[in-house]
Amino acid sequence: MESVSQIFSGYFTGEGKFLTTEEVTLGKRAIATASDALVRSSTSMMNKLTVKFNSAAPVHRLPTEILSEVFCWTLEPDNQYVRTLYELALVGRRWYSHVKASTELWTTVRTDQRMDDIRLILRKSKGRLLRVIVKGSPDYDVSRAVEAESQRWESFECFHDWSQYPSLYDLPYWIRGRFPHTPHLRDASIQFTMRVGAAFPEGLYGYKLRHVRLSRVEFDWRALLETGLVTLDVDSPDTIPAPEQLCELLSKWPQLVQFRLVGCRRAIDESRYDTPLNWTRPQILLLSLTSLELKYLPPQYLLLLGRIDAPNCATVTIGDQNVQLEDSLVQEMPPLLCSALVPIFRSARLINIQVTRRRGLCISLTGQAKQLPIRLDIDTSRPVETLSVVGGLLKSRQIRTSVTLDFEEQVSLTEKTLGNLPTLRQINVVGAAMCEDLMRCLAHSEVDTDGKRRWLCLDLEQVRMSYDWEESIPSSHCALLPDLAQRRWGPERDDDPWDRPILPEEFAILTLGEVSAEFKQAVRDAQNIAPAIELVENEERFFMRHVDSHMYM
């Protein structure tokens, strides 16, 4: 067949050759063929460029194992689980093939899913162990389909909202009666929104469970501990044993790693804790324990801290923020808590206390001999009162551990609070009200019966006062700051030099708003007595200076 240039050569050279109909048709076909070839070539080139560009993207360079892990964290175990998998598969060809071939993504079965979705998950999981979530009121066919795969259950979770499903018959029949055989089951979680007399399934006691979470469920403590648990989360007040019985149970539980116990004051019989805990018994050694949480319990349960010897425990959470706690029990809580913390405080090199924004205390203990740093989260409705009791304990026991105090929440600061912290080395306060309280406390002194003047926090080395955003500095602070410097660090009079406060290494006043000329003059006057006092108007540069100094130490 003639080429396009050959057919039209006479026309373009001006020879006056007229084309026939056949030649025009051949020309059109040649043009169409050439254009199709050009389109295919350009499309192929675009596809190659697209593949090359996509393969260079970071998300496409991820190894298959990491991509599977990302997908697993993306998927929420809700009734739209399969729909989410479909949406991931529609992103691209690689994701589609990965979702289709990865059996670990098809391992979550919920009883409130459609029957077709459940069959799809069971088919694509291809023998993998399953996570079974019982929610809602499943029909008989769904219950039978899930029970038929009980040999593959690895995790079992049941959440039942009695406000929506007020009858036990809304649960699958194998929860109310004979529990299926589950040889691979390791995790079990049963949570009810109210107590209705539901019990932990008898069939689960015979398996080697690892993690159990129970809420409003009756169960046998001894039988459950014999399953080899390493994590237990109990929110069932009526099943909590007395403190002495609980100590006996924990002593037979050396493999315990995480323990969470949540109670309720009115749900526990008072006779259970009327008898004080026996301190003459040997301590309970729990080498594997890393996390302990005791919340909404009578104060006597806090004495467990004094009996438990857990050298690897890193987090302890204690709480009494419960409207059902009586005032007498709330007042009893701090002394009992502090009595249990005495051995921990004695072995600490540094104690950092924070008054957090959730109206509680966070006590971090570092530098302990043969122990990890411990974080004590104390949820208390009276943080300042509890802080005073903690400080009183340190003072009365002559514990010379250095203390730092950090306020994230504005509270009222008194001389009693600081007076109970004689080893305070660092304090951070926020807000104009707390700054004023701190300056008044540091300027306060008393004369004892022996005629010596006593100051608060003699070893205080670092002070940071931060004013809130757009918070103006009160005019009264212009007189308070120089007065503090004069009283606390001014020229010595008749005072014993050993009883006078040391000059601070840092006294920073951080402000984000405009500062009046009067306050700047007050800072300069105070600097003449204590050179460490400085006004910080560029907070970023101030903290970067400290980072740089630590980097080259």
Side-chain angles (χ1 to χ4, degrees):
M1 187 176 62
E2 295 180 291
S3 65
V4 177
S5 60
Q6 291 174 341
I7 294 173
F8 291 97
S9 60
Y11 177 80
F12 290 119
T13 56
E15 296 178 357
K17 180 182 178 182
F18 292 96
L19 301 178
T20 64
T21 303
E22 182 180 358
E23 289 174 333
V24 172
T25 302
L26 290 176
K28 290 181 178 179
R29 290 177 180 175
I31 292 174
T33 303
S35 61
D36 290 343
L38 183 61
V39 169
R40 285 194 299 270
S41 176
S42 61
T43 303
S44 176
M45 182 61 67
M46 287 297 297
N47 290 337
K48 291 180 180 179
L49 291 174
T50 302
V51 171
K52 188 173 182 180
F53 176 78
N54 289 339
S55 62
V59 69
H60 292 296
R61 294 202 305 267
L62 288 175
T64 304
E65 296 78 7
I66 296 181
L67 189 60
S68 297
E69 192 72 20
V70 172
F71 284 174
C72 290
W73 281 101
T74 303
L75 294 168
E76 294 289 340
D78 52 17
N79 55 3
Q80 301 295 323
Y81 185 84
V82 176
R83 180 184 178 88
T84 305
L85 284 173
Y86 284 147
E87 293 174 351
L88 290 174
L90 292 175
V91 171
R93 182 178 302 175
R94 182 168 182 260
W95 284 25
Y96 172 81
S97 59
H98 184 74
V99 169
K100 185 178 180 181
S102 300
T103 56
E104 63 270 15
L105 300 178
W106 303 86
T107 56
T108 300
V109 180
R110 288 176 57 106
T111 57
D112 58 349
Q113 290 175 320
R114 298 184 308 161
M115 190 63 190
D116 293 340
D117 292 343
I118 293 177
R119 291 195 184 100
L120 179 64
I121 291 175
L122 296 178
R123 185 176 69 253
K124 286 190 171 293
S125 59
K126 296 181 181 180
R128 275 188 170 269
L129 297 180
L130 301 174
R131 176 187 180 185
V132 177
I133 301 176
V134 177
K135 201 167 184 180
S137 179
D139 56 28
Y140 182 77
D141 293 337
V142 170
S143 299
R144 284 296 299 271
V146 175
E147 182 193 15
E149 301 292 336
S150 61
Q151 298 284 340
R152 294 199 285 149
W153 291 10
E154 183 182 29
S155 174
F156 169 73
E157 303 173 25
C158 176
F159 179 82
H160 196 75
D161 188 353
W162 292 99
S163 62
Q164 297 182 6
Y165 307 101
S167 174
L168 279 173
Y169 290 96
D170 291 319
L171 293 169
Y173 61 90
W174 35 264
I175 293 183
R176 305 191 309 267
R178 183 180 179 83
F179 201 80
H181 181 55
T182 55
H184 298 289
L185 189 66
R186 294 296 177 265
D187 302 345
S189 175
I190 302 178
Q191 301 179 64
F192 294 145
T193 56
M194 61 180 294
R195 180 178 176 272
V196 291
F200 190 71
E202 292 287 341
L204 289 179
Y205 286 121
Y207 299 112
K208 293 297 182 181
L209 299 177
R210 305 291 290 171
H211 311 280
V212 172
R213 181 179 183 183
L214 302 175
S215 178
R216 310 294 194 274
V217 179
E218 299 177 359
F219 66 97
D220 185 346
W221 278 80
R222 296 184 183 277
L224 192 60
L225 297 184
E226 291 175 358
T227 62
L229 287 177
V230 297
T231 301
L232 180 60
D233 185 337
V234 177
D235 187 3
S236 302
D238 293 319
T239 62
I240 296 177
E244 195 65 42
Q245 296 174 348
L246 187 57
C247 286
E248 182 182 355
L249 291 170
L250 293 177
S251 64
K252 301 176 181 178
W253 198 1
Q255 75 278 10
L256 179 63
V257 175
Q258 295 182 356
F259 184 51
R260 181 175 182 265
L261 192 61
V262 180
C264 175
R265 165 66 180 87
R266 293 183 178 178
I268 300 177
D269 184 10
E270 293 184 3
S271 61
R272 296 187 182 184
Y273 58 86
D274 280 344
T275 304
L277 195 63
N278 190 350
W279 287 87
T280 61
R281 299 283 184 89
Q283 284 195 319
I284 306 166
L285 182 61
L286 298 175
L287 295 176
S288 302
L289 187 66
T290 61
S291 177
L292 175 64
E293 183 172 348
L294 304 174
K295 302 193 72 172
Y296 310 151
L297 293 168
Q300 284 77 358
Y301 281 83
L302 300 177
L303 296 177
L304 286 173
L305 297 174
R307 287 281 302 274
I308 294 177
D309 183 6
N312 296 317
C313 186
T315 303
V316 179
T317 303
I318 304 162
D320 75 331
Q321 280 190 343
N322 192 344
V323 294
Q324 296 182 347
L325 278 174
E326 295 180 356
D327 289 340
S328 59
L329 292 178
V330 174
Q331 295 173 2
E332 187 181 356
M333 179 260 192
L336 290 176
L337 169 64
C338 295
S339 299
L341 295 179
V342 168
I344 303 177
F345 284 158
R346 285 192 181 280
S347 59
R349 180 180 60 84
L350 178 65
I351 301 176
N352 181 21
I353 305 176
Q354 287 182 315
V355 178
T356 64
R357 297 188 183 277
R358 53 183 173 81
R359 306 294 295 178
L361 294 180
C362 174
I363 304 178
S364 300
L365 310 172
T366 59
Q368 296 177 219
K370 299 181 181 179
Q371 286 191 347
L372 292 174
I374 291 182
R375 175 186 173 95
L376 297 170
D377 291 317
I378 305 177
D379 299 324
T380 172
S381 56
R382 296 177 173 86
V384 177
E385 288 81 353
T386 306
L387 175 62
S388 297
V389 175
V390 172
L393 168 72
L394 299 175
K395 184 178 180 180
S396 62
R397 297 279 180 165
Q398 299 297 317
I399 299 176
R400 299 298 301 173
T401 305
S402 297
V403 178
T404 66
L405 186 56
D406 188 3
F407 288 90
E408 297 180 358
E409 182 77 9
Q410 294 195 35
V411 294
S412 179
L413 192 61
T414 63
E415 290 88 354
K416 179 182 178 181
T417 303
L418 294 184
N420 285 340
L421 296 172
T423 60
L424 185 65
R425 295 295 180 88
Q426 175 181 336
I427 185 170
N428 305 328
V429 297
V430 294
M434 287 207 70
C435 292
E436 181 171 342
D437 290 344
L438 178 62
M439 287 189 286
R440 292 187 184 279
C441 291
L442 294 181
H444 176 75
S445 62
E446 295 180 354
V447 179
D448 286 346
T449 55
D450 57 0
K452 292 185 177 181
R453 186 175 298 277
R454 304 295 182 187
W455 298 86
L456 301 177
C457 309
L458 298 178
D459 300 327
L460 189 61
E461 299 173 348
Q462 186 182 86
V463 179
R464 291 181 183 174
M465 301 193 311
S466 303
Y467 290 88
D468 287 335
W469 177 256
E470 295 184 351
E471 184 180 35
S472 59
I473 301 177
S475 57
S476 59
H477 292 193
C478 300
L480 277 176
L481 184 61
D483 181 66
L484 162 64
Q486 178 65 33
R487 286 173 176 268
R488 188 174 179 88
W489 301 296
E492 299 181 9
R493 301 182 182 86
D494 299 331
D495 297 341
D496 188 343
W498 295 101
D499 292 333
R500 291 192 62 81
I502 64 172
L503 282 171
E505 297 179 0
E506 176 187 305
F507 195 112
I509 305 172
L510 290 83
T511 177
L512 299 176
E514 295 185 1
V515 183
S516 64
E518 183 182 2
F519 188 76
K520 290 181 179 180
Q521 181 60 42
V523 173
R524 287 192 290 269
D525 295 340
Q527 283 177 338
N528 295 330
I529 302 174
I533 299 177
E534 63 174 324
L535 180 63
V536 179
E537 298 183 79
N538 190 330
E539 188 173 336
E540 182 178 356
R541 182 179 300 176
F542 171 76
F543 286 106
M544 283 302 298
R545 184 182 66 189
H546 285 272
V547 172
D548 294 339
S549 63
H550 286 297
M551 288 177 62
Y552 298 102
M553 285 180 61

